[in-house]
Each structure stands twice: as C-alpha cells, then as structure tokens.
C-alpha cells in the first residue's frame, strides 16, 4: 500500500505551507507558500541567521535607519527565505505583499514589482514566483494589474465565494481559501463540532471548486489553513492543497485508502455570476465570518511584519 500522501499526490498538486528548509527537503512538495508569520519564524532559525545578518549589513550600507530602509531590509529577508525554498522545489514560491498595503492597490502593485526585482537579482525569474495578496477589493484589483503584466498572483485570506468570484473575474492565477480558519469561526460561533463532510471550510472550498469548473474558470483552487488531516482528505482532488509539515507527515504515515472527493468530471451546472465593487462589498458585509476572518488575518500578518521590522531596527542600532 502507498501512503495517503502519495495517493494525494496522484490527484492533487501538494504544496508545503512552511519556511522550514529541512521539512521541504524531506517532504519534496511541488511548491511552497510563505506568509509574514512563516518568514518571521524561519528567520529565527539557524538556517537563516546568515541571511538575516547579510540583510542587516546590506541595510547599514544604505546609510539609513528610516522606515523605507527597514522595509527594504524586510523584503530582502523574505526574498532570502523564498530563494532558499526555490532551490528545493521544482515549482513556485509564494511571497506576500505587506499586509498593511491590503487596501492600497497602487502601493501593492509597486511592492510586487520590488519583490519580483529582488528575486531577479538572485537569478530567479517571475515564472517561479507567486505574488501573494490579501483578497480585499483593492488586493484583487492589484492582482488584475499584475496578471496583465505577466506576474502571477496568489490571492490569500479568502473566506467567501464572493471573493473567489471577484478573483476569477480578475483572472487571478491562484486562490487560497482558508479551510481551517473558516472552521474556527463556526465552531466558536455555534459551539458545534463538525465532521469532515460538514466542516464549513470544506463545504466552502467544494462550492468554489464546483463554481470554477462548471464555468470553465482557469483560476487554480488551492485549499489552505488546515486543522486536521480529515479536511485534507475531504478535498482530495482539489487543484492544489498547501499543507503544514506536521499534517504532511501524518498523511505520509497513514497507509489507508484515500478516495477522490473532487473531480472536474463530477461538477454540477452552476450559473456564472459577475460582481462589481458595490456587489462585492455588500456580499462581504452580509458574510460576518468572511469579514471578520479577513480583517483578523490582515491584522495578524501586519503584527508579525511589525515584529520583524522591530527586530531589524534593533539590529541596525546595535
């Protein structure tokens, strides 16, 4: 018998949700996703101490300690993590635009250009990178601009079908609906327990997957933010799944049979929907879970970014 992880690989592209170099080397995912929390954690490990010091030395050579220099150093560190991961995976590495730019389309586009330029300096072309943006209206508009320029995007912090529809209309390359965080909200809100089949996060991704396939939408659906292996198994067959090393190891150790849950051959017909800004904002307003989890996610990533900037400022002053 093959492991459930190997069975999953036969029907879904497996992505590692980590900046842990050793885990990526061991588990051999196709792609890697990062975010400010993952980058902050990675930079605290021995594997990236040299990269941290290199970026600080580079920043000091710029002759300043203002916010712009600190921001540029933070970008350099994130790219160092991404570049190390890019050496280990055959596919893409996602690198996130600063969370505090989530409501600024132009600034998000400018930051994306800086990230792509930073990777190019290291010999890594844009076809190896996904620019990660929060699924706000402004983030989706930034992705629309970048996609037209040939820069592929990963729209993250996605909790609703309205966000998924807006991303599809912007011709976004990939979306990352957050399964586990949706479950977290419903468990807290209702006090109920859920099975893998009734899990609201699983139900949401299945609905988005069906809508995309039924309407011939090419945007990739990549389930993310899993709380348990059951959620992953319930989405087997999804285009991509980004999974933590802990859950990848759990699936690798399980020799049971994994049934395919999603397939483009079994989708049900569903009408196409268009959303302008007014309709998008109203749909989000009516969805308390999506609104609250999106705001919470942006705050969380911004907090980790502020922590990293604080560490950089301290190191510059040393």
């Amino acid at each position: 018998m093959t492991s459930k992880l190997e069975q999953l690989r036969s029907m879904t592209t497996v992505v590692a949700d980590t900046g842990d170099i050793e885990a990526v080397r061991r588990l051999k995912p196709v792609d890697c996703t990062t975010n400010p929390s993952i980058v902050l954690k990675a930079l605290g490990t021995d594997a990236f101490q040299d990269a941290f010091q290199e970026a600080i030395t580079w920043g000091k050579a710029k002759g300043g300690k203002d916010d712009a220099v600190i921001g540029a150093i933070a970008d350099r560190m994130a790219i160092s993590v991404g570049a190390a991961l890019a050496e280990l995976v055959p596919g893409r590495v996602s690198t996130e635009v600063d969370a505090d730019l989530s409501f600024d389309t132009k600034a998000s586009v400018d930051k994306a250009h800086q990230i792509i330029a930073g990777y190019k300096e290291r010999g890594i072309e844009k076809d190896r990178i996904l620019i990660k943006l929060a699924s706000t209206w402004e983030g989706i508009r930034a992705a629309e601009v970048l996609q037209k320029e040939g820069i592929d995007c990963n729209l993250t912090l996605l909790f609703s079908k309205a966000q998924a529809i807006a991303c599809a209309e912007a011709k976004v390359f990939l979306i990352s609906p957050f399964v586990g965080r949706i479950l977290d909200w419903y468990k807290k809100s209702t006090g109920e327990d859920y099975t893998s089949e009734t899990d609201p996060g699983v139900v949401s991704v299945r609905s988005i997957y069906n809508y995309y396939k039924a309407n011939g939408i090419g945007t990739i659906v990549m389930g993310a933010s899993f709380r348990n292996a059951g959620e992953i198994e319930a989405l087997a067959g999804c285009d991509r799944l980004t999974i933590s090393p802990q859950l990848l190891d759990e699936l690798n150790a399980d020799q049971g049979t994994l049934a395919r849950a999603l397939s483009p051959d079994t989708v049900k017909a569903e009408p196409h929907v268009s959303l302008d800004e007014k309709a998008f904002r109203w749909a989000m307003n009516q969805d308390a879970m999506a609104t609250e989890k999106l705001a919470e996610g942006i705050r969380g990533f911004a907090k980790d970014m502020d922590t990293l900037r604080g560490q950089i400022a301290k190191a510059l002053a040393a």
Side-chain angles (χ1 to χ4, degrees):
M1 288 291 292
T2 57
S3 71
K4 284 187 177 179
L5 178 57
E6 287 308 310
Q7 293 173 68
L8 181 65
R9 290 180 203 247
S10 71
M11 59 187 92
T12 291
T13 299
V14 174
V15 180
D17 193 12
T18 184
D20 184 335
I21 292 294
E22 291 308 315
V24 172
R25 187 175 285 119
R26 173 169 53 83
L27 294 163
K28 297 179 172 58
V30 173
D31 296 344
C32 275
T33 56
T34 68
N35 60 43
S37 304
I38 289 173
V39 170
L40 180 63
K41 183 177 180 180
L43 289 169
T45 66
D46 291 341
F48 287 104
Q49 282 306 296
D50 288 346
F52 185 93
Q53 292 303 322
E54 184 278 334
I56 294 299
T57 300
W58 176 86
K60 286 182 176 179
K62 295 295 181 182
K65 300 177 183 178
D66 60 14
D67 290 345
V69 172
I70 290 173
I73 295 170
D75 290 345
R76 192 172 183 86
M77 291 178 178
I79 291 167
S80 291
V81 173
L85 294 171
E87 291 181 2
L88 299 176
V89 298
R92 310 273 196 133
V93 174
S94 292
T95 297
E96 195 147 346
V97 167
D98 298 357
D100 53 11
L101 301 180
S102 295
F103 303 101
D104 189 329
T105 296
K106 183 180 183 304
S108 293
V109 171
D110 291 344
K111 177 64 73 171
H113 289 158
Q114 292 168 21
I115 291 170
I116 293 298
Y119 275 110
K120 189 172 180 61
E121 287 177 2
R122 301 182 189 220
I124 301 171
E125 297 298 328
K126 64 183 180 181
D127 61 358
R128 297 289 317 284
I129 305 302
L130 293 180
I131 294 295
K132 212 170 180 183
L133 297 148
S135 298
T136 58
W137 180 258
E138 294 81 3
I140 295 168
R141 298 281 68 78
E144 185 174 36
V145 172
L146 293 166
Q147 290 289 163
K148 289 177 180 177
E149 296 175 352
I151 297 172
D152 288 333
C153 298
N154 171 354
L155 270 289
T156 187
L157 294 175
L158 193 144
F159 301 98
S160 74
K161 199 166 185 176
Q163 290 172 294
I165 289 170
C167 287
E169 293 192 290
K171 295 184 170 28
V172 165
F173 179 79
L174 179 150
I175 61 169
S176 297
F178 274 31
V179 179
R181 296 195 194 192
I182 293 175
L183 174 64
D184 294 344
W185 190 92
Y186 277 98
K187 288 179 71 173
K188 182 178 180 180
S189 178
T190 67
E192 296 180 14
D193 289 323
Y194 296 88
T195 67
S196 296
E197 288 299 309
T198 62
D199 184 313
V202 170
V203 171
S204 177
V205 175
R206 286 181 173 181
S207 175
I208 291 167
Y209 178 92
N210 189 87
Y211 176 80
Y212 275 17
K213 303 311 178 191
N215 287 283
I217 293 166
T219 298
I220 294 166
V221 181
M222 182 173 74
S225 173
F226 294 106
R227 295 294 178 260
N228 55 69
E231 290 179 321
I232 297 167
E233 293 181 38
L235 292 174
C238 192
D239 300 333
R240 301 187 191 188
L241 297 174
T242 179
I243 307 169
S244 69
Q246 178 184 353
L247 290 175
L248 286 170
D249 282 332
E250 185 176 332
L251 290 166
N252 197 39
D254 191 336
Q255 299 296 309
T257 300
L258 179 63
R260 183 165 192 147
L262 296 179
S263 170
D265 298 328
T266 58
V267 300
K268 298 178 181 177
E270 191 172 346
H272 185 272
V273 177
S274 290
L275 294 176
D276 59 13
E277 181 177 357
K278 179 181 176 181
F280 173 86
R281 294 195 185 280
W282 181 249
M284 291 295 289
N285 181 74
Q286 296 301 93
D287 189 335
M289 177 277 296
T291 296
E292 292 172 19
K293 297 308 286 187
L294 174 59
E296 178 185 88
I298 290 171
R299 287 195 302 270
F301 287 159
K303 181 179 179 181
D304 285 335
M305 181 57 72
D306 286 343
T307 298
L308 177 58
R309 289 168 180 160
Q311 292 178 0
I312 291 169
K314 184 177 180 179
L316 287 172

